[in-house]
């Protein structure tokens, strides 16, 4: 198993180029199932979850090609010949986002069998809202042997448009129902829809494919179903969480970096908090120049749905608070168990206590290097930031979590001058 070894205390200086967003690329890859024509994608991040999704699609019969051998971010997907509408337990257990094939398969193939994702390290994460929405659109769904078995009514064939109000805001739930609705007969209204930029990016691709969607970017999506979708080209939106992660790194470690090819307009809540921390930022249309001198100031915050502060940035900003001047409270409202990095940060000398869904951090002047273990994707990023800020050597084990969601993180950090290496 790979590990990352780093010697902390070196300021970050230089430029970093942000990749396409993992959480936009995953639903966008699944959208290819909605048509028998090719979909060309650019700016697809080269990371483990994307490779897993490609494998799932290939098992269904989707042809995936890389037209330019030197560019792994440019893909063409062709789902003309679907030979299986099944996502197996073996695949879904490695990546919950596999549930995103359910809506498109049901819409185009009129049946789907997808393993029910189990619990997850950060929370129970049920998919009841996905199922409830598809049932409202006329699907018959049974859970059998751990699988979601879904069919449209044989006499009608297509899903039927419906008004759907989800009980909570769900990102992949909105994406699944949005994709399903594009090929339904009649109009679907999705109320309480997630407004995350990744949902908007998926919707933009669907419109290019011929879908009729209004309300993109709002919490009310109206989809007028069409009979067929067609070929399209799309570049995946920049990863706001990767950009935010590098901004937190410079806030904790110090230095001056230029974050390139990002979308500052999707980072408002993160930028507001990092200004409070004392990070100096100049913001352009697709870049952020950030510099930090001295120790950060502690900031309290709570996570919530977009446009509020993202849960996917909670662990990274907590690493900044760990070395900040002052105390902070961090409240996690999206997932019930997303504080597993706290014990590991404390092994590096942080002083953080958990009370229910709130973490209380007393900033310390210096962390000291240690061996720590990554428990999930964003927790890994938090430990890397803390390790880069700590005195001496830190080793982050189980780095496969990081590889699921960051495109060459340690290479990018090395280019910024960090003393970090991957150990096999
Ligand atoms: N929920 C339900 N029932 C449902 C769906 C969701 O109870 O049917 C609950 C969840 O348990 C959770 C809350 O609603 O408490 C929100 O979950 P959501 O469905 O929005 O999360 P998700 O779609 O499974 C996506 C991202 C996550 C990100 C969350 C929140 C993808 C592939 N994943 O997950 O990304 O944290 O939205 O923004 O888009 C990550 O990248 O590290 C990551 C975990």
């Amino acid at each position: 198993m790979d590990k990352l070894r780093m010697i902390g205390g070196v300021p970050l200086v230089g430029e970093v180029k942000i990749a396409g967003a993992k959480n936009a690329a995953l639903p966008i890859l699944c959208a290819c199932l909605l048509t028998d024509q090719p979909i060309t994608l650019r700016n697809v991040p080269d990371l483990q979850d994307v490779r897993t999704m490609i494998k799932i699609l290939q098992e269904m019969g989707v042809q995936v090609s890389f037209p330019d051998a030197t560019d792994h971010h440019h893909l063409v997907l062709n789902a003309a010949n679907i030979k299986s509408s099944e996502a197996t337990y073996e695949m879904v257990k490695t990546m919950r986002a596999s549930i995103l094939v359910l809506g498109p398969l049901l819409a185009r193939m009129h049946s789907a069998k997808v393993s029910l994702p189990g619990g997850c390290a950060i929370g129970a994460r049920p998919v009841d809202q996905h199922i409830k929405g598809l049932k409202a659109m006329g699907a018959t769904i049974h859970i059998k042997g751990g699988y979601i078995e879904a069919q449209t009514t044989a006499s009608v064939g297509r899903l039927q448009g419906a008004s759907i109000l989800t009980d909570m805001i769900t990102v992949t739930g909105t994406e699944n129902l949005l994709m399903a609705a594009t090929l339904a007969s009649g109009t679907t209204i999705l109320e309480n829809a997630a407004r995350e930029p990744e949902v908007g990016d998926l919707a933009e691709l669907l419109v290019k494919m011929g879908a009729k969607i209004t309300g993109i970017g709002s919490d009310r999506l109206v989809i007028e179903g069409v009979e067929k979708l067609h070929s399209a080209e799309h570049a995946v939106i920049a990863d706001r969480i990767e950009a935010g992660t590098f901004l937190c790194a410079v806030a904790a470690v110090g230095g001056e970096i230029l974050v390139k090819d990002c979308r500052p307009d999707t980072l408002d809540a993160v930028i507001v908090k990092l200004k409070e921390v004392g990070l100096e930022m100049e913001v352009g249309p697709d870049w952020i120049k950030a510099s930090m001198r001295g120790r950060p100031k502690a900031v309290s915050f709570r996570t919530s749905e977009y446009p509020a502060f993202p849960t996917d940035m909670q662990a990274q900003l907590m690493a900044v608070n760990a070395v900040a001047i002052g105390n902070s409270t961090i409240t996690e409202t999206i997932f019930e168990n997303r504080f597993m990095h706290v014990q590991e940060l404390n092994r590096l000398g942080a002083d953080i206590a958990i009370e229910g869904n709130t973490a209380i951090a007393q900033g310390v002047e210096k962390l000291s290097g240690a061996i720590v273990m990554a428990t999930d994707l964003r927790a890994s990023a938090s430990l890397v930031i803390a390790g880069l800020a700590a005195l001496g050597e830190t080793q982050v084990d189980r780095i496969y979590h990081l590889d699921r969601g960051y495109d060459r993180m340690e290479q990018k950090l090395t280019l910024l001058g960090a003393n970090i290496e991957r150990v096999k």
Side-chain angles (χ1 to χ4, degrees), residues 25 29 38-46 50-51 53-54 57 63-68 71-78 232-234:
L29 287 166
I39 300 295
T40 302
L41 300 177
R42 291 173 207 277
N43 206 33
V44 178
D46 185 14
V50 164
R51 288 188 280 272
M53 189 61 92
I54 288 174
L57 295 172
Q63 289 191 335
V64 182
S65 58
F66 294 85
D68 176 356
D71 184 3
H72 261 255
H73 304 93
H74 176 191
L75 271 72
V76 179
L77 297 106
N78 192 328
E233 281 200 35
H234 187 72

PDB file of all heavy atoms in Angstrom, residues 25 29 38-46 50-51 53-54 57 63-68 71-78 232-234:
ATOM      1  N   ALA A  25     -17.415  14.888 -12.966  1.00  0.00           N
ATOM      2  CA  ALA A  25     -17.034  13.885 -13.968  1.00  0.00           C
ATOM      3  C   ALA A  25     -17.818  12.579 -13.777  1.00  0.00           C
ATOM      4  O   ALA A  25     -18.223  11.950 -14.765  1.00  0.00           O
ATOM      5  CB  ALA A  25     -15.531  13.606 -13.875  1.00  0.00           C
ATOM      6  N   LEU A  29     -19.942  11.032 -16.778  1.00  0.00           N
ATOM      7  CA  LEU A  29     -19.598   9.769 -17.455  1.00  0.00           C
ATOM      8  C   LEU A  29     -20.856   8.905 -17.602  1.00  0.00           C
ATOM      9  O   LEU A  29     -21.075   8.268 -18.634  1.00  0.00           O
ATOM     10  CB  LEU A  29     -18.527   9.010 -16.662  1.00  0.00           C
ATOM     11  CG  LEU A  29     -17.107   9.601 -16.715  1.00  0.00           C
ATOM     12  CD1 LEU A  29     -16.231   8.979 -15.627  1.00  0.00           C
ATOM     13  CD2 LEU A  29     -16.471   9.384 -18.082  1.00  0.00           C
ATOM     14  N   PRO A  38     -21.959   9.022 -29.687  1.00  0.00           N
ATOM     15  CA  PRO A  38     -20.752   9.269 -28.874  1.00  0.00           C
ATOM     16  C   PRO A  38     -20.784  10.584 -28.088  1.00  0.00           C
ATOM     17  O   PRO A  38     -21.321  11.585 -28.568  1.00  0.00           O
ATOM     18  CB  PRO A  38     -19.622   9.293 -29.912  1.00  0.00           C
ATOM     19  CG  PRO A  38     -20.273   9.475 -31.226  1.00  0.00           C
ATOM     20  CD  PRO A  38     -21.671   8.987 -31.129  1.00  0.00           C
ATOM     21  N   ILE A  39     -20.203  10.549 -26.908  1.00  0.00           N
ATOM     22  CA  ILE A  39     -20.063  11.738 -26.060  1.00  0.00           C
ATOM     23  C   ILE A  39     -18.562  11.992 -25.890  1.00  0.00           C
ATOM     24  O   ILE A  39     -17.823  11.105 -25.461  1.00  0.00           O
ATOM     25  CB  ILE A  39     -20.705  11.501 -24.663  1.00  0.00           C
ATOM     26  CG1 ILE A  39     -22.202  11.188 -24.796  1.00  0.00           C
ATOM     27  CG2 ILE A  39     -20.470  12.688 -23.726  1.00  0.00           C
ATOM     28  CD1 ILE A  39     -23.051  12.315 -25.340  1.00  0.00           C
ATOM     29  N   THR A  40     -18.137  13.200 -26.232  1.00  0.00           N
ATOM     30  CA  THR A  40     -16.718  13.552 -26.118  1.00  0.00           C
ATOM     31  C   THR A  40     -16.515  14.427 -24.885  1.00  0.00           C
ATOM     32  O   THR A  40     -17.200  15.449 -24.734  1.00  0.00           O
ATOM     33  CB  THR A  40     -16.264  14.325 -27.381  1.00  0.00           C
ATOM     34  OG1 THR A  40     -16.518  13.484 -28.511  1.00  0.00           O
ATOM     35  CG2 THR A  40     -14.783  14.674 -27.326  1.00  0.00           C
ATOM     36  N   LEU A  41     -15.612  14.002 -24.026  1.00  0.00           N
ATOM     37  CA  LEU A  41     -15.376  14.746 -22.788  1.00  0.00           C
ATOM     38  C   LEU A  41     -13.932  15.209 -22.695  1.00  0.00           C
ATOM     39  O   LEU A  41     -13.014  14.458 -23.042  1.00  0.00           O
ATOM     40  CB  LEU A  41     -15.702  13.861 -21.576  1.00  0.00           C
ATOM     41  CG  LEU A  41     -17.139  13.348 -21.484  1.00  0.00           C
ATOM     42  CD1 LEU A  41     -17.294  12.424 -20.286  1.00  0.00           C
ATOM     43  CD2 LEU A  41     -18.134  14.515 -21.391  1.00  0.00           C
ATOM     44  N   ARG A  42     -13.748  16.434 -22.225  1.00  0.00           N
ATOM     45  CA  ARG A  42     -12.399  16.959 -21.961  1.00  0.00           C
ATOM     46  C   ARG A  42     -12.310  17.369 -20.504  1.00  0.00           C
ATOM     47  O   ARG A  42     -13.322  17.503 -19.827  1.00  0.00           O
ATOM     48  CB  ARG A  42     -12.120  18.181 -22.848  1.00  0.00           C
ATOM     49  CG  ARG A  42     -11.988  17.795 -24.309  1.00  0.00           C
ATOM     50  CD  ARG A  42     -11.886  19.023 -25.199  1.00  0.00           C
ATOM     51  NE  ARG A  42     -12.388  18.681 -26.523  1.00  0.00           N
ATOM     52  CZ  ARG A  42     -11.681  18.075 -27.472  1.00  0.00           C
ATOM     53  NH1 ARG A  42     -10.419  17.760 -27.251  1.00  0.00           N
ATOM     54  NH2 ARG A  42     -12.224  17.775 -28.631  1.00  0.00           N
ATOM     55  N   ASN A  43     -11.086  17.571 -20.062  1.00  0.00           N
ATOM     56  CA  ASN A  43     -10.834  17.978 -18.668  1.00  0.00           C
ATOM     57  C   ASN A  43     -11.386  16.961 -17.658  1.00  0.00           C
ATOM     58  O   ASN A  43     -11.804  17.326 -16.568  1.00  0.00           O
ATOM     59  CB  ASN A  43     -11.428  19.376 -18.395  1.00  0.00           C
ATOM     60  CG  ASN A  43     -10.693  20.088 -17.275  1.00  0.00           C
ATOM     61  OD1 ASN A  43      -9.487  19.911 -17.106  1.00  0.00           O
ATOM     62  ND2 ASN A  43     -11.406  20.868 -16.489  1.00  0.00           N
ATOM     63  N   VAL A  44     -11.390  15.687 -18.051  1.00  0.00           N
ATOM     64  CA  VAL A  44     -11.806  14.624 -17.112  1.00  0.00           C
ATOM     65  C   VAL A  44     -10.609  14.358 -16.192  1.00  0.00           C
ATOM     66  O   VAL A  44      -9.500  14.124 -16.682  1.00  0.00           O
ATOM     67  CB  VAL A  44     -12.171  13.329 -17.882  1.00  0.00           C
ATOM     68  CG1 VAL A  44     -12.556  12.222 -16.911  1.00  0.00           C
ATOM     69  CG2 VAL A  44     -13.295  13.603 -18.869  1.00  0.00           C
ATOM     70  N   PRO A  45     -10.776  14.429 -14.874  1.00  0.00           N
ATOM     71  CA  PRO A  45      -9.615  14.214 -14.000  1.00  0.00           C
ATOM     72  C   PRO A  45      -9.151  12.761 -14.068  1.00  0.00           C
ATOM     73  O   PRO A  45      -9.969  11.855 -14.217  1.00  0.00           O
ATOM     74  CB  PRO A  45     -10.153  14.562 -12.608  1.00  0.00           C
ATOM     75  CG  PRO A  45     -11.632  14.361 -12.704  1.00  0.00           C
ATOM     76  CD  PRO A  45     -12.015  14.678 -14.114  1.00  0.00           C
ATOM     77  N   ASP A  46      -7.840  12.577 -13.980  1.00  0.00           N
ATOM     78  CA  ASP A  46      -7.260  11.240 -14.060  1.00  0.00           C
ATOM     79  C   ASP A  46      -7.090  10.736 -12.624  1.00  0.00           C
ATOM     80  O   ASP A  46      -6.067  10.988 -11.982  1.00  0.00           O
ATOM     81  CB  ASP A  46      -5.904  11.356 -14.789  1.00  0.00           C
ATOM     82  CG  ASP A  46      -5.276  10.000 -15.021  1.00  0.00           C
ATOM     83  OD1 ASP A  46      -5.973   8.983 -14.884  1.00  0.00           O
ATOM     84  OD2 ASP A  46      -4.067   9.960 -15.328  1.00  0.00           O
ATOM     85  N   VAL A  50     -12.658   7.876 -11.206  1.00  0.00           N
ATOM     86  CA  VAL A  50     -12.998   7.982 -12.640  1.00  0.00           C
ATOM     87  C   VAL A  50     -12.665   6.658 -13.336  1.00  0.00           C
ATOM     88  O   VAL A  50     -13.457   6.146 -14.134  1.00  0.00           O
ATOM     89  CB  VAL A  50     -12.265   9.180 -13.285  1.00  0.00           C
ATOM     90  CG1 VAL A  50     -12.275   9.092 -14.798  1.00  0.00           C
ATOM     91  CG2 VAL A  50     -12.888  10.491 -12.819  1.00  0.00           C
ATOM     92  N   ARG A  51     -11.500   6.077 -12.984  1.00  0.00           N
ATOM     93  CA  ARG A  51     -11.137   4.783 -13.595  1.00  0.00           C
ATOM     94  C   ARG A  51     -12.148   3.702 -13.208  1.00  0.00           C
ATOM     95  O   ARG A  51     -12.530   2.867 -14.026  1.00  0.00           O
ATOM     96  CB  ARG A  51      -9.709   4.382 -13.176  1.00  0.00           C
ATOM     97  CG  ARG A  51      -8.645   5.235 -13.854  1.00  0.00           C
ATOM     98  CD  ARG A  51      -7.238   4.714 -13.582  1.00  0.00           C
ATOM     99  NE  ARG A  51      -6.747   5.113 -12.271  1.00  0.00           N
ATOM    100  CZ  ARG A  51      -6.094   6.247 -12.011  1.00  0.00           C
ATOM    101  NH1 ARG A  51      -5.827   7.096 -12.976  1.00  0.00           N
ATOM    102  NH2 ARG A  51      -5.693   6.539 -10.793  1.00  0.00           N
ATOM    103  N   MET A  53     -15.354   4.196 -12.500  1.00  0.00           N
ATOM    104  CA  MET A  53     -16.603   4.439 -13.241  1.00  0.00           C
ATOM    105  C   MET A  53     -16.457   3.985 -14.690  1.00  0.00           C
ATOM    106  O   MET A  53     -17.377   3.378 -15.264  1.00  0.00           O
ATOM    107  CB  MET A  53     -16.984   5.930 -13.165  1.00  0.00           C
ATOM    108  CG  MET A  53     -18.357   6.229 -13.711  1.00  0.00           C
ATOM    109  SD  MET A  53     -19.675   5.349 -12.800  1.00  0.00           S
ATOM    110  CE  MET A  53     -20.092   6.572 -11.560  1.00  0.00           C
ATOM    111  N   ILE A  54     -15.289   4.230 -15.278  1.00  0.00           N
ATOM    112  CA  ILE A  54     -15.064   3.795 -16.667  1.00  0.00           C
ATOM    113  C   ILE A  54     -15.187   2.274 -16.741  1.00  0.00           C
ATOM    114  O   ILE A  54     -15.812   1.723 -17.661  1.00  0.00           O
ATOM    115  CB  ILE A  54     -13.677   4.282 -17.164  1.00  0.00           C
ATOM    116  CG1 ILE A  54     -13.724   5.804 -17.376  1.00  0.00           C
ATOM    117  CG2 ILE A  54     -13.258   3.563 -18.449  1.00  0.00           C
ATOM    118  CD1 ILE A  54     -12.382   6.433 -17.720  1.00  0.00           C
ATOM    119  N   LEU A  57     -18.808   1.183 -16.653  1.00  0.00           N
ATOM    120  CA  LEU A  57     -19.468   1.452 -17.932  1.00  0.00           C
ATOM    121  C   LEU A  57     -19.004   0.447 -18.984  1.00  0.00           C
ATOM    122  O   LEU A  57     -19.811  -0.057 -19.771  1.00  0.00           O
ATOM    123  CB  LEU A  57     -19.184   2.897 -18.379  1.00  0.00           C
ATOM    124  CG  LEU A  57     -19.774   3.983 -17.471  1.00  0.00           C
ATOM    125  CD1 LEU A  57     -19.275   5.361 -17.893  1.00  0.00           C
ATOM    126  CD2 LEU A  57     -21.301   3.955 -17.479  1.00  0.00           C
ATOM    127  N   GLN A  63     -18.201   1.644 -25.000  1.00  0.00           N
ATOM    128  CA  GLN A  63     -16.839   1.713 -25.554  1.00  0.00           C
ATOM    129  C   GLN A  63     -16.209   3.034 -25.126  1.00  0.00           C
ATOM    130  O   GLN A  63     -16.806   4.096 -25.304  1.00  0.00           O
ATOM    131  CB  GLN A  63     -16.893   1.646 -27.068  1.00  0.00           C
ATOM    132  CG  GLN A  63     -17.288   0.246 -27.511  1.00  0.00           C
ATOM    133  CD  GLN A  63     -17.105   0.053 -28.997  1.00  0.00           C
ATOM    134  OE1 GLN A  63     -17.124   1.013 -29.749  1.00  0.00           O
ATOM    135  NE2 GLN A  63     -16.953  -1.183 -29.394  1.00  0.00           N
ATOM    136  N   VAL A  64     -15.044   2.925 -24.520  1.00  0.00           N
ATOM    137  CA  VAL A  64     -14.359   4.123 -24.023  1.00  0.00           C
ATOM    138  C   VAL A  64     -13.032   4.235 -24.755  1.00  0.00           C
ATOM    139  O   VAL A  64     -12.245   3.288 -24.756  1.00  0.00           O
ATOM    140  CB  VAL A  64     -14.123   4.028 -22.503  1.00  0.00           C
ATOM    141  CG1 VAL A  64     -13.464   5.298 -21.979  1.00  0.00           C
ATOM    142  CG2 VAL A  64     -15.439   3.754 -21.771  1.00  0.00           C
ATOM    143  N   SER A  65     -12.792   5.368 -25.393  1.00  0.00           N
ATOM    144  CA  SER A  65     -11.502   5.524 -26.079  1.00  0.00           C
ATOM    145  C   SER A  65     -10.852   6.855 -25.710  1.00  0.00           C
ATOM    146  O   SER A  65     -11.525   7.814 -25.303  1.00  0.00           O
ATOM    147  CB  SER A  65     -11.684   5.417 -27.591  1.00  0.00           C
ATOM    148  OG  SER A  65     -12.597   6.388 -28.027  1.00  0.00           O
ATOM    149  N   PHE A  66      -9.538   6.857 -25.832  1.00  0.00           N
ATOM    150  CA  PHE A  66      -8.738   8.053 -25.562  1.00  0.00           C
ATOM    151  C   PHE A  66      -8.120   8.468 -26.903  1.00  0.00           C
ATOM    152  O   PHE A  66      -7.106   7.915 -27.307  1.00  0.00           O
ATOM    153  CB  PHE A  66      -7.642   7.728 -24.538  1.00  0.00           C
ATOM    154  CG  PHE A  66      -8.185   7.379 -23.178  1.00  0.00           C
ATOM    155  CD1 PHE A  66      -8.596   6.077 -22.881  1.00  0.00           C
ATOM    156  CD2 PHE A  66      -8.303   8.351 -22.192  1.00  0.00           C
ATOM    157  CE1 PHE A  66      -9.111   5.761 -21.640  1.00  0.00           C
ATOM    158  CE2 PHE A  66      -8.823   8.031 -20.937  1.00  0.00           C
ATOM    159  CZ  PHE A  66      -9.224   6.736 -20.661  1.00  0.00           C
ATOM    160  N   PRO A  67      -8.733   9.416 -27.627  1.00  0.00           N
ATOM    161  CA  PRO A  67      -8.284   9.739 -28.987  1.00  0.00           C
ATOM    162  C   PRO A  67      -6.849  10.248 -29.034  1.00  0.00           C
ATOM    163  O   PRO A  67      -6.173  10.081 -30.040  1.00  0.00           O
ATOM    164  CB  PRO A  67      -9.252  10.826 -29.459  1.00  0.00           C
ATOM    165  CG  PRO A  67     -10.275  10.970 -28.415  1.00  0.00           C
ATOM    166  CD  PRO A  67      -9.894  10.211 -27.210  1.00  0.00           C
ATOM    167  N   ASP A  68      -6.393  10.871 -27.951  1.00  0.00           N
ATOM    168  CA  ASP A  68      -5.025  11.390 -27.930  1.00  0.00           C
ATOM    169  C   ASP A  68      -4.273  10.625 -26.839  1.00  0.00           C
ATOM    170  O   ASP A  68      -4.539  10.809 -25.648  1.00  0.00           O
ATOM    171  CB  ASP A  68      -5.087  12.899 -27.632  1.00  0.00           C
ATOM    172  CG  ASP A  68      -3.703  13.510 -27.497  1.00  0.00           C
ATOM    173  OD1 ASP A  68      -2.702  12.752 -27.553  1.00  0.00           O
ATOM    174  OD2 ASP A  68      -3.631  14.740 -27.353  1.00  0.00           O
ATOM    175  N   ASP A  71      -3.039  12.422 -23.843  1.00  0.00           N
ATOM    176  CA  ASP A  71      -3.955  13.204 -23.008  1.00  0.00           C
ATOM    177  C   ASP A  71      -5.021  12.309 -22.367  1.00  0.00           C
ATOM    178  O   ASP A  71      -6.043  11.995 -22.984  1.00  0.00           O
ATOM    179  CB  ASP A  71      -4.611  14.310 -23.868  1.00  0.00           C
ATOM    180  CG  ASP A  71      -5.495  15.216 -23.032  1.00  0.00           C
ATOM    181  OD1 ASP A  71      -5.545  15.025 -21.796  1.00  0.00           O
ATOM    182  OD2 ASP A  71      -6.143  16.110 -23.613  1.00  0.00           O
ATOM    183  N   HIS A  72      -4.806  11.933 -21.115  1.00  0.00           N
ATOM    184  CA  HIS A  72      -5.741  11.062 -20.424  1.00  0.00           C
ATOM    185  C   HIS A  72      -6.966  11.780 -19.892  1.00  0.00           C
ATOM    186  O   HIS A  72      -7.806  11.197 -19.212  1.00  0.00           O
ATOM    187  CB  HIS A  72      -5.015  10.305 -19.301  1.00  0.00           C
ATOM    188  CG  HIS A  72      -4.659   8.925 -19.735  1.00  0.00           C
ATOM    189  ND1 HIS A  72      -5.331   7.807 -19.320  1.00  0.00           N
ATOM    190  CD2 HIS A  72      -3.738   8.513 -20.627  1.00  0.00           C
ATOM    191  CE1 HIS A  72      -4.826   6.759 -19.923  1.00  0.00           C
ATOM    192  NE2 HIS A  72      -3.857   7.138 -20.712  1.00  0.00           N
ATOM    193  N   HIS A  73      -7.054  13.078 -20.196  1.00  0.00           N
ATOM    194  CA  HIS A  73      -8.209  13.850 -19.726  1.00  0.00           C
ATOM    195  C   HIS A  73      -9.258  14.008 -20.825  1.00  0.00           C
ATOM    196  O   HIS A  73     -10.268  14.659 -20.640  1.00  0.00           O
ATOM    197  CB  HIS A  73      -7.742  15.227 -19.239  1.00  0.00           C
ATOM    198  CG  HIS A  73      -6.688  15.127 -18.172  1.00  0.00           C
ATOM    199  ND1 HIS A  73      -5.346  15.153 -18.439  1.00  0.00           N
ATOM    200  CD2 HIS A  73      -6.797  14.955 -16.845  1.00  0.00           C
ATOM    201  CE1 HIS A  73      -4.664  15.018 -17.318  1.00  0.00           C
ATOM    202  NE2 HIS A  73      -5.523  14.888 -16.331  1.00  0.00           N
ATOM    203  N   HIS A  74      -8.974  13.421 -21.985  1.00  0.00           N
ATOM    204  CA  HIS A  74      -9.842  13.567 -23.165  1.00  0.00           C
ATOM    205  C   HIS A  74     -10.383  12.171 -23.536  1.00  0.00           C
ATOM    206  O   HIS A  74      -9.614  11.290 -23.916  1.00  0.00           O
ATOM    207  CB  HIS A  74      -8.987  14.172 -24.289  1.00  0.00           C
ATOM    208  CG  HIS A  74      -9.695  14.303 -25.603  1.00  0.00           C
ATOM    209  ND1 HIS A  74      -9.037  14.616 -26.763  1.00  0.00           N
ATOM    210  CD2 HIS A  74     -10.997  14.167 -25.950  1.00  0.00           C
ATOM    211  CE1 HIS A  74      -9.893  14.661 -27.762  1.00  0.00           C
ATOM    212  NE2 HIS A  74     -11.090  14.390 -27.290  1.00  0.00           N
ATOM    213  N   LEU A  75     -11.703  11.992 -23.421  1.00  0.00           N
ATOM    214  CA  LEU A  75     -12.314  10.670 -23.592  1.00  0.00           C
ATOM    215  C   LEU A  75     -13.470  10.736 -24.576  1.00  0.00           C
ATOM    216  O   LEU A  75     -14.161  11.752 -24.639  1.00  0.00           O
ATOM    217  CB  LEU A  75     -12.960  10.220 -22.286  1.00  0.00           C
ATOM    218  CG  LEU A  75     -12.186   9.455 -21.244  1.00  0.00           C
ATOM    219  CD1 LEU A  75     -11.205  10.359 -20.562  1.00  0.00           C
ATOM    220  CD2 LEU A  75     -13.160   8.905 -20.214  1.00  0.00           C
ATOM    221  N   VAL A  76     -13.695   9.634 -25.263  1.00  0.00           N
ATOM    222  CA  VAL A  76     -14.925   9.507 -26.048  1.00  0.00           C
ATOM    223  C   VAL A  76     -15.640   8.247 -25.558  1.00  0.00           C
ATOM    224  O   VAL A  76     -15.038   7.172 -25.472  1.00  0.00           O
ATOM    225  CB  VAL A  76     -14.646   9.415 -27.563  1.00  0.00           C
ATOM    226  CG1 VAL A  76     -15.947   9.272 -28.335  1.00  0.00           C
ATOM    227  CG2 VAL A  76     -13.885  10.650 -28.036  1.00  0.00           C
ATOM    228  N   LEU A  77     -16.933   8.396 -25.211  1.00  0.00           N
ATOM    229  CA  LEU A  77     -17.708   7.250 -24.723  1.00  0.00           C
ATOM    230  C   LEU A  77     -18.832   6.965 -25.705  1.00  0.00           C
ATOM    231  O   LEU A  77     -19.505   7.894 -26.164  1.00  0.00           O
ATOM    232  CB  LEU A  77     -18.304   7.549 -23.349  1.00  0.00           C
ATOM    233  CG  LEU A  77     -17.256   7.791 -22.266  1.00  0.00           C
ATOM    234  CD1 LEU A  77     -17.180   9.256 -21.909  1.00  0.00           C
ATOM    235  CD2 LEU A  77     -17.568   6.978 -21.033  1.00  0.00           C
ATOM    236  N   ASN A  78     -19.011   5.681 -25.991  1.00  0.00           N
ATOM    237  CA  ASN A  78     -20.080   5.323 -26.911  1.00  0.00           C
ATOM    238  C   ASN A  78     -20.899   4.176 -26.320  1.00  0.00           C
ATOM    239  O   ASN A  78     -20.393   3.064 -26.145  1.00  0.00           O
ATOM    240  CB  ASN A  78     -19.476   4.929 -28.260  1.00  0.00           C
ATOM    241  CG  ASN A  78     -20.545   4.833 -29.323  1.00  0.00           C
ATOM    242  OD1 ASN A  78     -21.689   4.479 -29.023  1.00  0.00           O
ATOM    243  ND2 ASN A  78     -20.184   5.145 -30.555  1.00  0.00           N
ATOM    244  N   ALA A 232     -22.631  14.847 -28.045  1.00  0.00           N
ATOM    245  CA  ALA A 232     -22.265  16.185 -27.562  1.00  0.00           C
ATOM    246  C   ALA A 232     -20.809  16.189 -27.111  1.00  0.00           C
ATOM    247  O   ALA A 232     -20.216  15.121 -26.914  1.00  0.00           O
ATOM    248  CB  ALA A 232     -23.179  16.580 -26.396  1.00  0.00           C
ATOM    249  N   GLU A 233     -20.278  17.399 -26.952  1.00  0.00           N
ATOM    250  CA  GLU A 233     -18.913  17.569 -26.430  1.00  0.00           C
ATOM    251  C   GLU A 233     -18.979  18.453 -25.210  1.00  0.00           C
ATOM    252  O   GLU A 233     -19.764  19.413 -25.178  1.00  0.00           O
ATOM    253  CB  GLU A 233     -18.046  18.292 -27.478  1.00  0.00           C
ATOM    254  CG  GLU A 233     -17.576  17.387 -28.570  1.00  0.00           C
ATOM    255  CD  GLU A 233     -16.367  17.973 -29.299  1.00  0.00           C
ATOM    256  OE1 GLU A 233     -15.520  18.645 -28.670  1.00  0.00           O
ATOM    257  OE2 GLU A 233     -16.302  17.733 -30.507  1.00  0.00           O
ATOM    258  N   HIS A 234     -18.141  18.155 -24.234  1.00  0.00           N
ATOM    259  CA  HIS A 234     -18.210  18.941 -22.991  1.00  0.00           C
ATOM    260  C   HIS A 234     -16.878  18.902 -22.262  1.00  0.00           C
ATOM    261  O   HIS A 234     -16.218  17.859 -22.226  1.00  0.00           O
ATOM    262  CB  HIS A 234     -19.318  18.356 -22.093  1.00  0.00           C
ATOM    263  CG  HIS A 234     -19.591  19.170 -20.878  1.00  0.00           C
ATOM    264  ND1 HIS A 234     -20.240  20.385 -20.918  1.00  0.00           N
ATOM    265  CD2 HIS A 234     -19.285  18.965 -19.571  1.00  0.00           C
ATOM    266  CE1 HIS A 234     -20.339  20.879 -19.697  1.00  0.00           C
ATOM    267  NE2 HIS A 234     -19.763  20.037 -18.854  1.00  0.00           N
TER     268      HIS A 234
END
